[in-house]
Amino acid sequence: MTSNPWLDILSLINGFQITQAIRVAATLCVADHLRDGPRSADELASLTHSNADALYRLLRALAAVGVFREIADRRFVLTPMSDCLRSDSSTPIGSWAEHVGNPYFWQAWGHLLHSVRTGENAFQDLHGIDVWQYRAEHAEANAIFNRAMTNMSRGGSEAVLSAYDFSGFAHIVDVGGGQGALLAAILSACPQARGTLFDQPRVVEGAEANLRERGVISRCNIVGGSFFDSVPEGGDAYLMRYVIHDWEDREAIAILKVCRRAMREPARLLLIERTVAPPNEIPATKFSDLNMLVVPGGRERTRDEFASLFEASGFALTRVAPAGMTNVMEACLR
Ligand SMILES: C[S@@+](CC[C@H](N)C(=O)[O-])C[C@H]1O[C@@H](n2cnc3c(N)ncnc32)[C@H](O)[C@@H]1O
């Protein structure tokens, strides 16, 4: 923030330009082309099949906000931020930029006023179907979303593993586990455990290669289905990362009750979710909450709101372990 409130709010208003500029740089894989050192805008344009003048204008704008750095002769280098756009980064974020800049997602945000006026889900009102059905019908949007989730999970897995000890579990079921990035990280750290990855059939279709690449496929079952119908039985830990925040309370309780039905003492439920901070703090969670309102039709919650969800679905919150930007919330059966 500067000392000029007009300039400060102007830069917030114009934030959408940065989102799209980063999305384009990510789509063109510019960061990968800078991995081995500086390159000129002309060279990058030829490598990315782009217009040299327009690409230079894109990169100098991004350099002005620290995403790249412009050096002499219209050449560019990576910065710590654009390093995360590299496909081989340990905390890769380029696929998230591609996902949030994707027109179907972006248009739902353009319909935020509808959500605020009515409390309804903007995506459903705009597209006439919910976001999961939309992705089921649009293979590319589905692939970009799943890749974004996998890469974001990869970046966040370390924090989860340092916050919570999974070594006491023999069978971990990851419900709504996407393509298995978090489960693979847990199984790699816990050689005694086996896992079951459960998600929608169209999502788990792409999981086998990930799990094989991480060397855990021999200890992992892959099951497709809907968590509104049933989830696999027999686990001693039921994990759900960033699943419950996609849903309003009625659906969230329905999902938790389905898990409860599959669980036997002494199994534990482990929700990995952000919690809403006190007033004026942690904008990321509060904007993620708006994202939940607009896109899937869910909400971020406070710790007490999570405790109430557990109570309503046959669980009791036993502990909350902070894990970086998120938390591991452990619950036992009641
Ligand atoms: C926000 S993503 C989180 C994915 C993963 N847990 C992670 O942290 O990367 C929510 C997941 O819920 C899954 N999902 C949505 N509806 C579902 C349903 N009815 N049954 C099973 N999974 C569902 C989605 O396919 C998606 O993978």
Side-chain angles (χ1 to χ4, degrees):
M1 295 286 149
T2 67
S3 56
N4 182 331
W6 189 91
L7 283 179
D8 287 346
I9 194 160
L10 181 67
S11 77
L12 293 180
I13 291 168
N14 289 343
F16 75 96
Q17 298 169 340
I18 298 178
T19 304
Q20 284 297 351
I22 297 175
R23 175 204 175 204
V24 171
T27 304
L28 297 177
C29 305
V30 172
D32 283 349
H33 292 301
L34 293 175
R35 183 186 295 133
D36 298 325
R39 285 194 195 269
S40 69
D42 285 358
E43 271 180 285
L44 289 167
S46 127
L47 289 164
T48 61
H49 310 289
S50 310
N51 176 275
D53 177 57
L55 185 65
Y56 172 67
R57 291 158 71 187
L58 177 88
L59 297 180
R60 78 174 170 189
L62 285 172
V65 291
V67 175
F68 295 99
R69 197 159 72 81
E70 183 173 358
I71 56 174
D73 306 321
R74 293 184 165 218
R75 288 179 308 142
F76 291 88
V77 291
L78 292 174
T79 63
M81 274 201 272
S82 44
D83 216 40
C84 303
L85 292 173
R86 284 169 41 177
S87 54
D88 61 350
S89 158
S90 57
T91 51
I93 201 155
S95 49
W96 182 254
E98 286 188 73
H99 165 60
V100 300
N102 203 331
Y104 82 99
F105 182 95
W106 182 255
Q107 285 154 4
W109 265 91
H111 204 44
L112 171 63
L113 182 60
H114 174 81
S115 284
V116 174
R117 284 225 163 102
T118 62
E120 291 171 1
N121 174 227
F123 192 97
Q124 173 84 40
D125 189 69
L126 186 72
H127 293 285
I129 45 176
D130 74 23
V131 71
W132 306 112
Q133 187 57 32
Y134 183 95
R135 289 186 189 128
E137 293 173 13
H138 294 81
E140 200 191 339
N142 188 44
I144 291 175
F145 174 72
N146 291 331
R147 203 163 49 240
M149 282 294 119
T150 298
N151 286 340
M152 293 296 267
S153 294
R154 205 182 292 164
S157 297
E158 227 167 82
V160 169
L161 282 162
S162 346
Y164 191 87
D165 180 9
F166 291 86
S167 65
F169 296 120
H171 181 192
I172 299 164
V173 182
D174 192 351
V175 176
Q179 298 191 328
L182 177 60
L183 186 58
I186 295 173
L187 293 181
S188 301
C190 302
Q192 85 294 342
R194 64 195 174 85
T196 297
L197 176 69
F198 179 79
D199 205 299
Q200 303 183 94
R202 265 187 204 81
V203 175
V204 292
E205 253 168 31
E208 193 178 325
N210 273 339
L211 295 165
R212 190 176 301 284
E213 191 190 316
R214 301 293 306 272
V216 296
I217 188 75
S218 60
R219 289 187 282 132
C220 206
N221 277 341
I222 301 175
V223 181
S226 170
F227 47 45
F228 289 109
D229 300 332
S230 64
V231 301
E233 296 193 351
D236 52 3
Y238 282 72
L239 186 67
M240 274 192 276
R241 180 184 187 270
Y242 297 153
V243 169
I244 291 301
H245 75 167
D246 285 337
W247 303 94
E248 284 292 354
D249 287 1
R250 198 166 59 94
E251 289 83 12
I253 290 169
I255 297 165
L256 291 172
K257 281 185 170 168
V258 169
C259 292
R260 173 72 184 78
R261 230 173 37 223
M263 292 169 67
R264 305 279 172 272
E265 267 301 350
R268 291 289 181 266
L269 175 73
L270 303 170
L271 293 197
I272 301 176
E273 294 279 359
R274 288 181 278 256
T275 47
V276 174
N280 312 311
E281 290 176 22
I282 324 275
T285 311
K286 289 163 184 168
F287 279 91
S288 174
D289 177 55
L290 281 185
N291 192 41
M292 294 304 128
L293 172 65
V294 164
V295 183
R299 58 175 59 239
E300 299 293 356
R301 295 176 171 86
T302 62
R303 179 191 167 128
D304 287 352
E305 287 167 339
F306 276 110
S308 304
L309 283 187
F310 289 139
E311 179 91 4
S313 47
F315 293 99
L317 179 61
T318 42
R319 96 182 153 97
V320 178
M325 283 169 52
T326 191
N327 304 279
V328 182
M329 282 180 273
E330 183 198 74
C332 64
L333 309 186
R334 268 199 309 125

